[in-house]
Amino acid sequence: MRVVIAEDLALLRDGLIRLLEAFRFEVVEAVDNGPSLLRALTTHRPDVAVVDVRLPPTFTDEGLKAALEARKEIPGLPVLVLSQHVEQLYARELLSDSTGGIGYLLKDRVSDVSQFVDAVRRVAAGGTALDPDVVAQLLTRHAREEPLRALTPREREVLGLMAEGRSNAAIASALFVTEKAISKHTNNIFSKLSLPPSEDDNRRVLAVLAYLGA
């Protein structure tokens, strides 16, 4: 079974090579940055890729972006993400693609070599291997986003200006409407975000936090 590895830490990269080769995998290339990963995947077309999320040059999401780009050229390319981080946006894009094997494991939770090797084989065979913490974080993000979907485009616009710290009068001036119209929009926002009147909580602050969180 042919494998491409993407990991910027030399010791961990070498450890993964030795581990997989001990279980009769063939590591066709091991790289330490995003551009090299994309080239390696499209050149070798491996049976499975083991990819870290954060790679040079920016150490943000190069690994996932390269894997997604490679899957556009090679539909169904099996990818197992092995990372310390859950990159929400690209993780959801990767997991939403139903073609080919997909896995997402957190490094600090991989404590059993045989389970890790089994995950690599399962993804290579077209299956899935998901860390429960990854699933929990993605579901939490989805739960935060869901109420905002009920807002109209105008209400989202009002909430965005609210997040800038503007008063109803300032928002009304920016949108060329009456302050009464903005008051109606804000009340609709509070209602749709389930923010009832309260003596303790500032609903504007809570609404902004929901907006920024999503």
Side-chain angles (χ1 to χ4, degrees), residues 133-146:
D133 277 6
V134 174
V135 176
Q137 288 193 44
L138 294 177
L139 288 176
T140 300
R141 171 65 179 266
H142 178 73
R144 289 202 306 267
E145 288 180 343
E146 193 64 36

Side-chain angles (χ1 to χ4, degrees), residues 190 194-204 206:
F190 296 150
S194 300
L195 297 173
S198 169
E199 295 180 358
D200 300 321
D201 298 322
N202 185 322
R203 289 193 294 173
R204 293 179 77 90
L206 293 177

Side-chain angles (χ1 to χ4, degrees), residues 97-188:
D97 185 349
S98 59
T99 60
I102 292 296
Y104 206 126
L105 302 178
L106 297 180
K107 290 178 181 177
D108 59 0
R109 289 172 54 85
V110 178
S111 57
D112 189 303
V113 169
S114 62
Q115 288 182 355
F116 169 67
V117 172
D118 178 66
V120 176
R121 288 184 174 138
R122 192 159 67 249
V123 170
T128 58
L130 298 178
D131 190 296
D133 277 6
V134 174
V135 176
Q137 288 193 44
L138 294 177
L139 288 176
T140 300
R141 171 65 179 266
H142 178 73
R144 289 202 306 267
E145 288 180 343
E146 193 64 36
L148 293 184
R149 294 180 181 175
L151 301 183
T152 66
R154 175 61 92 181
E155 288 165 355
R156 282 176 172 269
E157 195 172 10
V158 170
L159 184 53
L161 292 170
M162 195 186 298
E164 295 177 8
R166 302 196 193 194
S167 66
N168 280 4
I171 296 173
S173 177
L175 298 181
F176 303 102
V177 297
T178 66
E179 191 171 345
K180 183 177 180 180
I182 296 302
S183 179
K184 181 179 178 181
H185 286 313
T186 56
N187 285 333
N188 287 340

